[in-house]
Amino acid sequence: MLANVNRQAQKEGMRALLVGAVVLALYGIVTAKSDYILAAYLVLVFACLLPTFLWLRSGAEGIPILPAFALAHLPYFALSVIRPEGLLHLYEPEEILVASSTVSAFLISAAATAHLGRSAQRLRPPAPDPEQSARQLSLLILTGLSCGLVFQVGAASGVLQLLDTLYGTARSLASTFALVACYCFGVGAGQRLLTKRDLLMGGLLVGANVLVSWSSLFLVGGMMYLMAGTVGFVVATGRVPWKSFLLVFAVVSVLQAGKRDMRDVYWYAGANYGNTTSVADLPDRLMEWTARGIEVLTSSDAEFVEVDPNRPTVLDRTSLIRMMLWAQRMAPDMVEHLDGATYALLPQVLMPRFIFPDKPASQAGMDMLNVHFAVLLEHETEKTAVGWGLAAEAYANFGYAGVLAMGALVGILARVLTQRSAGHSGVSLPSLVAIAALINMINMEADFIGLFMSLLQSAVAVFVFYYALSMLTRREFRKHPGHAPGVGLVTRK
């Protein structure tokens, strides 16, 4: 019976993938202004969908790290290429086709490595007691979301600046706790393991974390929380909550439209950060932000459109193909490849600051890329950050060989974590580690060092969080000696 359910879920996933592929292809055919642009778009769409196809075809087991990572490239690369304005007046269509093919080769290399290296799936461990699992899940969710909210409020009000050098560590722990809790909330809601009270409290805490995160006028933090909850729901049910997805997209589109005006008012001149705010001021600021966004979206002022025809939209802000285009235009003709210089910084970044007080920051590799390729001046890196992503960074260091090698490395990492989570419950330790990796990897702007550090910190935070909660529920486990220590959850397929 379980095999029949799995096969049915695979068929539904394949149908959804086919429909999505057809819709994306038709959109490109209608929108593309030249054959080069259409080819660039279609090759990216193929590469973005390939890992999902392979994952579904091989049984859809484990947390889909590589499929999620590849699908995140759709808005950052494919949809950016097909837009009739923005990039096309800066680069020749032939350049865009080369850049798109390079990114596609990166994703295909990752997919091939992850798929060809698959081993036999692990046996599914015995499921723990449902009632016990529900109690532990509720504790995990409420504790994690509360930790995240306390940190968010403290950061927004400026109180946590007193932590000085410990601020980064506290942020990593709190954000990971909250992300894991959001994911578990999606799992619990999808499998109906939470009571109405837990659903209400969990929903309010998720919303509070998102809104307080957005008070910084950065959308990415809140979006990560929503993404974690959505992935948890999809993993638990096999369904995509399209209505909720469209609602969130509409809200984010409004906020994205008004973000520039809000930053002009509340951010310091020349810096990508602003003054702190209190929780009491948050409702007024969010209402102002929404009003500005609606005003921009509904504006029909012809003069405004003429002055600023490319005002950033959600897709504009997520465009990363421009970094690959710029790197390929510059290297090796105008500047040399970095030959691994950004990667060589990793051992220094890993050193504790009390041993190496002058160690470089985790964004040192990104700063080096921006300065070497004349994206920013050296003094501008102190206040401004421009993300590159793994593929563009690999090309900047080693050219096309580096792109293929980095794709293979991503594929190996995704394969290992996905296989470790296969057969385990949605909130087992392997699954939580895998979901923490997934959330970090879909940050498309992260360079290698930044991603490595975030993965390391998230893994440590997951272990701390998981075993701390296991200790809190140790008395319950003594009542059920047949189950292994750890937070468990019934897996329904």
Side-chain angles (χ1 to χ4, degrees):
M1 182 65 181
L2 180 60
N4 292 334
V5 174
N6 283 338
R7 281 194 293 269
Q8 181 63 28
Q10 285 178 258
K11 290 180 180 179
E12 293 177 358
M14 284 292 190
R15 281 197 294 267
L17 184 65
L18 177 61
V19 171
V22 171
V23 170
L24 288 169
L26 292 175
Y27 175 73
I29 293 172
V30 171
T31 307
K33 299 302 182 182
S34 72
D35 292 340
Y36 280 106
I37 297 303
L38 178 59
Y41 171 75
L42 291 179
V43 73
L44 276 170
V45 169
F46 169 78
C48 291
L49 299 183
L50 178 62
T52 301
F53 169 77
L54 294 175
W55 178 71
L56 289 170
R57 188 169 176 265
S58 61
E61 288 287 340
I63 302 299
I65 297 175
L66 188 59
F69 175 76
L71 289 175
H73 283 69
L74 280 171
Y76 281 86
F77 293 90
L79 296 180
S80 299
V81 163
I82 204 67
R83 291 186 65 244
E85 65 276 345
L87 291 173
L88 300 192
H89 73 280
L90 298 174
Y91 297 93
E92 296 296 328
E94 294 88 345
E95 290 182 278
I96 296 176
L97 177 57
V98 171
S100 300
S101 299
T102 305
V103 176
S104 299
F106 166 74
L107 292 175
I108 292 172
S109 174
T113 306
H115 181 68
L116 295 177
R118 291 182 64 86
S119 61
Q121 298 292 344
R122 296 173 179 270
L123 295 176
R124 187 178 303 278
D129 177 68
E131 182 179 353
Q132 177 181 321
S133 296
R135 290 196 300 270
Q136 296 160 6
L137 182 65
S138 175
L139 176 62
L140 187 152
I141 292 170
L142 297 180
T143 303
L145 291 175
S146 297
C147 289
L149 184 58
V150 169
F151 178 86
Q152 292 283 357
V153 172
S157 61
V159 173
L160 295 185
Q161 297 299 330
L162 297 174
L163 293 176
D164 196 17
T165 57
L166 296 177
Y167 179 85
T169 301
R171 178 180 59 188
S172 176
L173 289 172
S175 61
T176 302
F177 292 171
L179 286 170
V180 169
C182 287
Y183 165 77
C184 292
F185 180 73
V187 171
Q191 293 194 343
R192 299 180 181 179
L193 290 174
L194 301 177
T195 64
K196 292 182 178 179
R197 175 178 173 275
D198 290 337
L199 283 172
L200 177 61
M201 292 183 63
L204 290 175
L205 285 171
V206 170
N209 274 279
V210 171
L211 293 179
V212 177
S213 173
W214 283 348
S215 69
S216 65
L217 302 183
F218 283 109
L219 288 174
V220 64
M223 288 300 299
M224 297 296 276
Y225 295 138
L226 295 174
M227 176 67 73
T230 301
V231 171
F233 183 87
V234 172
V235 168
T237 65
R239 304 191 311 271
V240 177
W242 290 109
K243 293 181 180 179
S244 300
F245 177 82
L246 293 175
L247 175 62
V248 170
F249 183 82
V251 171
V252 172
S253 296
V254 171
L255 297 179
Q256 175 65 42
K259 187 168 65 175
R260 174 186 288 185
D261 291 342
M262 291 293 290
R263 289 179 173 181
D264 289 342
V265 174
Y266 293 105
W267 273 16
Y268 298 120
N272 59 345
Y273 58 91
N275 57 322
T276 57
T277 183
S278 66
V279 176
D281 295 332
L282 182 58
D284 291 337
R285 183 168 293 190
L286 291 174
M287 290 179 62
E288 180 185 358
W289 191 355
T290 303
R292 287 177 182 267
I294 293 174
E295 181 181 356
V296 170
L297 291 175
T298 58
S299 174
S300 59
D301 188 348
E303 181 179 357
F304 171 80
V305 175
E306 182 179 353
V307 173
D308 194 4
N310 294 320
R311 189 179 184 87
T313 64
V314 172
L315 294 180
D316 291 320
R317 297 299 297 176
T318 58
S319 174
L320 274 181
I321 190 69
R322 57 192 172 87
M323 305 313 298
M324 181 64 78
L325 283 163
W326 182 248
Q328 291 185 329
R329 175 175 285 188
M330 294 288 287
D333 295 333
M334 300 182 185
V335 298
E336 296 180 353
H337 289 292
L338 287 169
D339 295 330
T342 63
Y343 306 133
L345 294 171
L346 181 60
Q348 300 177 50
V349 174
L350 288 173
M351 292 288 289
R353 192 165 294 277
F354 67 87
I355 296 177
F356 186 18
D358 297 327
K359 80 168 189 172
S362 59
Q363 70 269 21
M366 178 180 62
D367 292 342
M368 181 183 294
L369 289 166
N370 287 322
V371 173
H372 183 76
F373 284 86
V375 176
L376 296 172
L377 298 175
E378 188 167 358
H379 72 272
E380 291 177 321
T381 60
E382 298 176 2
K383 293 185 177 181
T384 306
V386 177
W388 279 65
L390 295 177
E393 181 189 15
Y395 178 85
N397 277 278
F398 296 113
Y400 296 108
V403 172
L404 295 176
M406 181 55 66
L409 181 61
V410 169
I412 292 172
L413 174 64
R415 182 193 71 207
V416 170
L417 294 178
T418 296
Q419 288 189 338
R420 290 286 296 176
S421 65
H424 289 270
S425 66
V427 292
S428 64
L429 181 58
S431 294
L432 294 181
V433 171
I435 195 63
L438 185 153
I439 295 299
N440 281 286
M441 290 180 66
I442 59 176
N443 177 12
M444 293 289 99
E445 295 186 352
D447 60 294
F448 177 76
I449 289 181
L451 179 60
F452 184 92
M453 295 301 296
S454 62
L455 288 173
L456 180 62
Q457 292 169 351
S458 295
V460 172
V462 167
F463 275 90
V464 171
F465 191 41
Y466 182 88
Y467 285 109
L469 288 175
S470 296
M471 291 176 63
L472 290 175
T473 57
R474 185 162 47 189
R475 291 183 179 180
E476 294 187 11
F477 286 117
R478 289 174 179 170
K479 298 178 182 178
H480 304 275
H483 300 130
V487 180
L489 178 64
V490 173
T491 302
R492 299 178 183 177
K493 292 218 174 185

